[in-house]
Amino acid sequence: MADEFVEPAPAIFGYTSKFSFQPGERVPIHVSCEQIERYAAHLVRLRHGYEGPQGPGFLETELESAANGDYDGAFHEPNTGSYVTVDDAGRLAGLASWTIELTFQATTPERSPQFVIGAWDDGRGAGYAITLEAGTVAVVFGDGAGRRAVLTTDPRVEARAWYRVVASFDAATGEATLLCEPTTASVGAHLLPGTSHARGDSGRLLVPFVPSAATVPFRIGAGSTGNAGFPECVGHFNGKIGNPRVFSAARGTADAPPLAAWDFGRSNRPDGSLLDTVVDVSGNGLDGVCVNSPTRAVTGHNWTGREPNFRHAPDEYGAIHLHDDDLDDAQWPEAFGVDLPDDLASGVYAVRLRDGATESHVPFVVRPGPDSARNTVAMLLPTGAYLAYANDRLQFDVAGAELLMGHTPIVSRHDLELQRHYDFGGSNYEVHSDGSGVLYSSRRRPIITLDPRYRAWMGVNSFWQFPADLCITDWMAAHDIAFDVITDEDLDREGAGLLEPYRVVLTGSHPEYVSLPELDAIEEYVAGGGRVMYLGGNGFYWIVSYHPEKPYVMEVRRSEAGTRPHQAPAGEYYLATNGELGALWRNKGRPPQRLFGVGFTAQGFDRSSPYLRMPDSFDPRAAFIFEGVGEDEVIGDFGIVADGAAGYEVDRYDLALGTPPDALLVATSTPLSDNYNHCSEEIFETPPGLRGSEDPDVRSDIVYFCQSGGGAVFSTGSIAWTGSLSHNRYDNNVARITGNVLRRFMSPEPLDW
């Protein structure tokens, strides 16, 4: 029987500009509908996401809002693909004679066409540009009236090899010239195979018409469609472009200084970070602007390998890496806005978009306003991790996903939607279409994994990230514990002052990605008497940075350590947005054990395990933790996340890595399965005996300790812990232990230590 085409189901997608808002602010909602002409929107407060039988089900509370109502649906596509645009007021686009010099390294040279540089209006067929055409370098000219001329070179371009290109046009004679030649190989770049590719090629062409001056911006890495709206660009380039220069004369007569010379390794900021401005060093003020966050701080054709930090050798980092699937702002028009009441309580909210059975949510946080009273407890949502995993498709795109899981991935409708929408951008766990790692992630795009009903593909009963953290907020709401909600982006921007009003701060289930200001703030908070409940696993692991000018964009670079899906190329380990080395926090002398008592030790996704009490649990200082829990009682042999409280990614107590010597190890997991393996950063060779049933370090530990300033930390060391809270309608020993600690930490009385 022949396969039948199945029409995609109707769908509604939306996003907002940031994670965190304050009462009185307006929340812009951007929506795109597929096969839906009209939809209803409603403001809701989110309670719980998991719909399976082991929890309370999906819970939300509808709220009154002037924004509630019906809206006309409209379809929009994301504005994908990165490039550099130059507001040149016609100085470049209107050149009669010109010469362009640059170096480039194509990563997908077979794709055609790709616009490298120029002013090209594809809609009118007007202007000029250097392009890749069927794997060869070309110069294209158009007169805007249907005539087009193309000058190409031979041989074909090899992927990931560096070339130097010089192209020119003489308006007086109509002659165009083009030279393409390999450069001396950069350290880390591909070498050209054989002598037949070691030579360059040049060509000449008499253009039989007068090329039209383009009325579109001059661009690097894309041509223009000529449209006023979407899409703006066509023919996005994949690969690196280095140090382009433009002269206002034909080759051979270009003795004058360049009209424009862009140095991608130069910064216009005192800290040397490389953001969206591309500096024109010609002195003519023709700076460029990056669109959709192409990768900065990358090695150029002349990188020697002697200096790995772009700020110390900017001349060797004079390149930019562009991708046809970069996305930092989908640029959908605003469908409507929600004006938040001035007295709206802090919490986790969403705008629900619905048409019949088709439904989605656009979640956001309402944090306390500047004049709002603060509750005793704050929930710190790990929005950095939400961005790192945003729209991850590992179940489809990573070889060996079944081996990693220990079973076949379990997919849902959300996963199928992700497969249809690669244009929504990938997570920091994936690679671009040219095979390079995704280093930037943005909030300003649809993020399907942020749907509160999203079920992780690791298992039948599997919650992950945002839906898992709703288990914590619903548990507190069910027990009438008043709390505020804040986010990583808030803490990164405001520091320890944001935490100061709170007696207790709770983390989410997987706060893996944190910035330096965040880590400093939490450390200062605990040292000053604050109390932290780290209710997750694999937390405080990777260093991240937020774009100073676009705080909705986060950068991650993984260097030579850690359990990682990909690694940045040699020489490209430093974060362009702040100059920090992209690495594990433990490799910067700040392992999680130092602050939280436990740190990442293993991961596995087939099943979770329970905990058993350890001798330290009977220390009088820990008595409050286990009130109502029997001496031999098994803890957490149940839960939404693989049927146990210790699982997925787990942390251990380790004095050698900074666990305070007087910390109490109050519980440890029963042996984990052989699907759990010791973390790679601690394995210098690969001997046998590293699996869950064999390695004593493959375990999850629960730790409690106090500091001299009155601060205290309670850490559960497991992503799965929060998935056990709601078992038996919150009447279970995981919820009891968590509640015992929270109530004691909320008390103004000093802890007995």
Side-chain angles (χ1 to χ4, degrees):
M1 180 177 177
D3 292 338
E4 296 182 3
F5 174 75
V6 178
E7 186 73 20
I12 311 175
F13 302 105
Y15 66 92
T16 189
S17 57
K18 55 184 180 177
F19 281 117
S20 179
F21 295 87
Q22 293 183 344
E25 280 194 88
R26 186 172 189 273
V27 182
I29 306 295
H30 307 260
V31 180
S32 176
C33 295
E34 298 177 359
Q35 304 178 51
I36 291 174
E37 295 183 357
R38 198 159 174 82
Y39 63 92
H42 209 109
L43 177 64
V44 298
R45 181 161 184 166
L46 294 174
R47 286 280 303 271
H48 195 273
Y50 177 68
E51 297 180 287
Q54 297 186 32
F58 181 77
L59 300 174
E60 65 181 8
T61 302
E62 294 186 349
L63 303 174
E64 294 296 323
S65 171
N68 294 345
D70 294 339
Y71 296 87
D72 291 331
F75 173 71
H76 305 288
E77 295 181 72
N79 183 39
T80 55
S82 60
Y83 55 93
V84 176
T85 189
V86 181
D87 184 9
D88 63 330
R91 282 186 286 174
L92 297 170
L95 286 175
S97 298
W98 51 263
T99 299
I100 299 177
E101 299 179 357
L102 57 84
T103 58
F104 80 93
Q105 181 193 74
T107 49
T108 59
E110 70 283 355
R111 298 187 184 181
S112 181
Q114 297 179 58
F115 288 87
V116 180
I117 191 170
W120 179 258
D121 182 340
D122 202 58
R124 294 178 52 237
Y128 66 93
I130 298 175
T131 69
L132 274 179
E133 305 275 351
T136 62
V137 178
V139 183
V140 60
F141 302 88
D143 71 348
R147 288 186 294 180
R148 175 181 169 127
V150 179
L151 169 61
T152 63
T153 61
D154 188 66
R156 293 171 64 86
V157 167
E158 296 287 340
R160 302 189 184 277
W162 279 101
Y163 294 84
R164 174 176 174 264
V165 173
V166 182
S168 72
F169 177 69
D170 189 331
T173 64
E175 182 180 61
T177 65
L178 175 61
L179 168 68
C180 177
E181 60 183 3
T183 68
T184 302
S186 167
V187 174
H190 286 197
L191 297 174
L192 291 172
T195 57
S196 63
H197 292 81
R199 58 180 174 80
D201 189 50
S202 60
R204 296 177 182 272
L205 173 72
L206 287 176
V207 179
F209 54 81
V210 177
S212 172
T215 56
V216 296
F218 189 91
R219 287 185 168 128
I220 302 168
S224 174
T225 61
N227 296 338
F230 178 89
E232 287 184 294
C233 292
V234 66
H236 290 278
F237 177 75
N238 272 332
K240 293 181 179 181
I241 296 174
N243 298 109
R245 300 190 298 166
V246 180
F247 298 85
S248 57
R251 186 182 182 191
T253 61
D255 297 326
L259 175 61
W262 298 284
D263 187 340
F264 296 115
R266 297 289 170 184
S267 173
N268 64 336
R269 295 174 58 86
D271 64 358
S273 57
L274 295 171
L275 303 181
D276 286 346
T277 299
V278 173
V279 176
D280 171 24
V281 296
S282 73
N284 293 319
L286 292 172
D287 289 349
V289 176
C290 295
V291 177
N292 270 333
S293 294
T295 306
R296 306 290 304 269
V298 297
T299 56
H301 75 281
N302 60 339
W303 186 58
T304 64
R306 294 185 176 91
E307 177 51 65
N309 189 330
F310 67 92
R311 293 185 297 179
H312 298 163
D315 290 341
E316 296 184 21
Y317 286 84
I320 191 168
H321 194 150
L322 303 135
H323 304 92
D324 61 7
D325 55 359
D326 277 328
L327 179 65
D328 74 12
D329 192 337
Q331 296 184 15
W332 291 354
E334 181 181 314
F336 60 92
V338 178
D339 294 317
L340 301 177
D342 292 336
D343 59 351
L344 187 63
S346 179
V348 184
Y349 294 83
V351 172
R352 186 186 65 212
L353 309 172
R354 177 187 284 172
D355 172 61
T358 302
E359 181 177 290
S360 68
H361 288 75
V362 180
F364 57 91
V365 163
V366 175
R367 55 170 291 188
D371 301 321
S372 303
R374 300 300 196 267
N375 286 304
T376 301
V377 178
M379 171 75 185
L380 175 61
L381 279 190
T383 51
Y386 299 168
L387 282 180
Y389 286 94
N391 292 341
D392 82 84
R393 304 172 181 86
L394 302 182
Q395 66 274 40
F396 294 109
D397 294 355
V398 172
E402 293 87 349
L403 294 174
L404 181 64
M405 296 301 104
H407 57 76
T408 302
I410 309 297
V411 299
S412 67
R413 68 173 179 86
H414 295 102
D415 300 308
L416 299 179
E417 288 172 346
L418 281 168
Q419 282 300 98
R420 289 197 299 113
H421 281 289
Y422 276 84
D423 55 344
F424 287 176
S427 72
N428 293 126
Y429 282 75
E430 291 159 270
V431 296
H432 288 289
S433 64
D434 70 352
S436 59
V438 176
L439 306 185
Y440 299 97
S441 183
S442 170
R443 180 68 177 93
R444 292 190 176 180
R445 56 179 173 133
I447 300 178
I448 292 174
T449 51
L450 276 180
D451 192 290
R453 286 187 169 101
Y454 177 74
R455 192 199 68 215
W457 51 273
M458 294 83 153
V460 175
N461 294 322
S462 180
F463 259 23
W464 183 258
Q465 299 292 331
F466 177 63
D469 294 336
L470 289 177
C471 295
I472 304 174
T473 58
D474 187 57
W475 165 73
M476 287 193 288
H479 288 80
D480 296 321
I481 297 170
F483 62 94
D484 294 338
V485 182
I486 55 178
T487 69
D488 280 349
E489 65 181 31
D490 298 322
L491 188 56
D492 174 81
R493 183 173 58 250
E494 299 179 34
L498 179 65
L499 305 180
E500 187 177 356
Y502 300 104
R503 191 167 295 131
V504 190
V505 173
L506 282 65
T507 77
S509 61
H510 194 187
E512 183 178 1
Y513 292 83
V514 294
S515 67
L516 176 62
E518 289 181 77
L519 200 59
D520 284 347
I522 296 172
E523 188 167 314
E524 183 178 338
Y525 171 73
V526 175
R531 299 167 180 180
V532 171
M533 295 178 67
Y534 167 33
L535 299 180
N538 186 217
F540 309 93
Y541 190 67
W542 287 109
I543 296 169
V544 302
S545 172
Y546 293 90
H547 194 298
E549 298 170 0
K550 298 189 296 189
Y552 53 89
V553 174
M554 185 184 77
E555 182 182 11
V556 180
R557 299 202 187 199
R558 296 177 172 88
S559 52
E560 297 166 338
T563 301
R564 55 205 185 278
H566 50 72
Q567 181 172 305
E572 299 178 11
Y573 297 160
Y574 284 79
L575 298 163
T577 47
N578 71 355
E580 287 267 338
L581 175 65
L584 300 180
W585 276 114
R586 67 181 286 169
N587 288 7
K588 299 284 291 278
R590 301 181 75 170
Q593 286 90 339
R594 181 172 173 262
L595 183 54
F596 302 98
V598 295
F600 181 57
T601 187
Q603 66 180 25
F605 300 94
D606 59 340
R607 62 176 175 83
S608 298
S609 295
Y611 293 88
L612 298 177
R613 293 180 63 169
M614 296 292 283
D616 282 355
S617 70
F618 302 101
D619 187 299
R621 293 172 293 177
F624 72 93
I625 299 173
F626 294 94
E627 289 179 5
V629 178
E631 292 186 3
D632 298 321
E633 188 171 339
V634 175
I635 300 165
D637 54 344
F638 48 80
I640 294 172
V641 181
D643 303 315
Y648 275 18
E649 297 180 12
V650 295
D651 299 358
R652 77 170 190 273
Y653 167 109
D654 194 320
L655 295 172
L657 287 171
T659 300
D662 58 349
L664 300 179
L665 174 58
V666 297
T668 194
S669 62
T670 60
L672 297 163
S673 78
D674 284 346
N675 186 246
Y676 288 78
N677 286 275
H678 203 130
C679 60
S680 64
E681 57 268 27
E682 296 181 348
I683 306 302
F684 303 111
E685 296 180 357
T686 54
L690 299 176
R691 298 180 299 178
S693 65
E694 304 165 319
D695 188 339
D697 283 341
V698 177
R699 67 182 196 271
S700 175
D701 291 333
I702 301 177
V703 167
Y704 165 59
F705 62 93
C706 291
Q707 290 195 345
S708 58
V713 174
F714 174 78
S715 296
T716 63
S718 166
I719 283 178
W721 179 268
T722 62
S724 299
L725 288 171
S726 62
H727 178 75
N728 193 33
R729 298 186 178 185
Y730 301 105
D731 184 10
N732 62 77
N733 52 29
V734 169
R736 190 169 302 117
I737 288 169
T738 311
N740 289 342
V741 175
L742 180 55
R743 285 188 291 271
R744 184 68 182 89
F745 276 19
M746 291 171 63
S747 169
E749 297 298 321
L751 294 162
D752 182 18
W753 195 260

